[in-house]
Amino acid sequence: GAGVSQSPSNKVTEKGKDVELRCDPISGHTALYWYRQSLGQGLEFLIYFQGNSAPDKSGLPSDRFSAERTGGSVSTLTIQRTQQEDSAVYLCASSLRRSQGPRRDTQYFGPGTRLTVL
Amino acid sequence: GQQVMQIPQYQHVQEGEDFTTYCNSSTTLSNIQWYKQRPGGHPVFLIQLVKSGEVKKQKRLTFQFGEAKKNSSLHITATQTTDVGTYFCAGGAGRRALTFGSGTRLQVQP
């Protein structure tokens, strides 16, 4: 079946402009995560959504970053007034549910959006 | 906050040699997951460990979860060029989102 999709695959923008990155999770997955990965680095958690609960925004690096998830499905990550240090690959992942107990569901990652801020 | 560290950052081996990456958490974990990211690709789930001292095998890959549930390892026997990529561990604790390690990049020389 269809996996997690992200758009655009590549985005080049000028410093100071706003950008929107989109994530379409796997149908039926209630948990959605955003990560950032700089070149050759690990995954930096940004935010996650679980059903109708308030999102966990603890990983957002500044108030220039925000995310929405409409109708419990598609999510948009917005970066305002982009800076050069925002350049990275932004990965979205979804899982069937975020378990309450110790067993967590597999996260399925999208192909990412490569953001370059000039 | 919770920190998950991985070593080594990078390893270059000859095809046929073994490889091990280690993951250590600053706090006790409820579970640990391992992911593989091929060059230019996105992370793909490999396995999840939940029980203290658990050992799981997938063909040439052996995964261990420490008795104290604060560390884990991934061992690859007789590496092949298809094993090239970055291996990430990710620790779960309570209601927090998974914390990913920094990854170990494996290069296999044919």
Side-chain angles (χ1 to χ4, degrees):
Chain A
V4 177
S5 61
Q6 291 185 245
S7 61
S9 55
N10 279 284
K11 176 71 176 179
V12 180
T13 190
E14 294 179 348
K15 179 181 173 181
K17 297 286 179 99
D18 297 352
V19 295
E20 283 190 354
L21 312 179
R22 177 187 168 107
C23 172
D24 284 85
I26 293 173
S27 177
H29 280 195
T30 62
L32 186 148
Y33 304 78
W34 282 99
Y35 297 91
R36 178 168 70 175
Q37 187 174 34
S38 299
L39 186 63
Q41 301 300 308
L43 296 168
E44 177 188 3
F45 165 75
L46 297 177
I47 187 171
Y48 92 84
F49 299 87
Q50 169 57 33
N52 296 321
S53 302
D56 178 349
K57 304 179 181 180
S58 59
L60 295 179
S62 79
D63 58 8
R64 296 186 296 106
F65 288 72
S66 63
E68 289 185 340
R69 190 177 184 193
T70 54
S73 181
V74 172
S75 178
T76 302
L77 176 69
T78 302
I79 308 174
Q80 295 178 310
R81 305 180 302 282
T82 52
Q83 304 293 314
Q84 288 183 331
E85 59 262 29
D86 298 335
S87 297
V89 174
Y90 289 81
L91 290 160
C92 173
S94 72
S95 65
L96 185 60
R97 61 187 176 276
R98 184 171 177 273
S99 304
Q100 299 300 310
R103 296 189 180 274
R104 292 172 184 267
D105 290 311
T106 302
Q107 291 191 22
Y108 296 85
F109 283 81
T113 293
R114 181 175 298 279
L115 174 65
T116 303
V117 182
L118 303 176
Chain B
Q2 179 183 329
Q3 292 185 350
V4 175
M5 292 151 286
Q6 259 185 279
I7 56 170
Q9 285 188 326
Y10 173 76
Q11 182 126 31
H12 187 138
V13 300
Q14 293 289 321
E15 189 172 22
E17 292 181 338
D18 292 354
F19 160 76
T20 305
T21 173
Y22 300 90
C23 184
N24 291 286
S25 170
S26 58
T27 59
T28 301
L29 301 170
S30 58
N31 68 90
I32 195 154
Q33 296 182 4
W34 285 90
Y35 291 78
K36 176 183 179 181
Q37 184 175 24
R38 294 182 185 274
H42 56 272
V44 175
F45 175 82
L46 293 177
I47 207 161
Q48 174 174 266
L49 303 171
V50 177
K51 299 177 182 176
S52 169
E54 189 171 13
V55 178
K56 286 189 177 181
K57 292 190 176 184
Q58 288 180 350
K59 297 182 180 179
R60 294 178 294 103
L61 277 61
T62 301
F63 304 83
Q64 292 188 321
F65 200 9
E67 293 289 342
K69 300 182 76 173
K70 296 181 73 172
N71 57 74
S72 181
S73 65
L74 158 58
H75 180 82
I76 302 178
T77 304
T79 54
Q80 299 176 359
T81 54
T82 52
D83 296 326
V84 165
T86 301
Y87 293 85
F88 292 97
C89 64
R95 291 177 172 269
R96 295 181 61 85
L98 286 175
T99 301
F100 279 80
S102 54
T104 295
R105 186 158 68 95
L106 172 64
Q107 189 65 254
V108 180
Q109 184 74 34

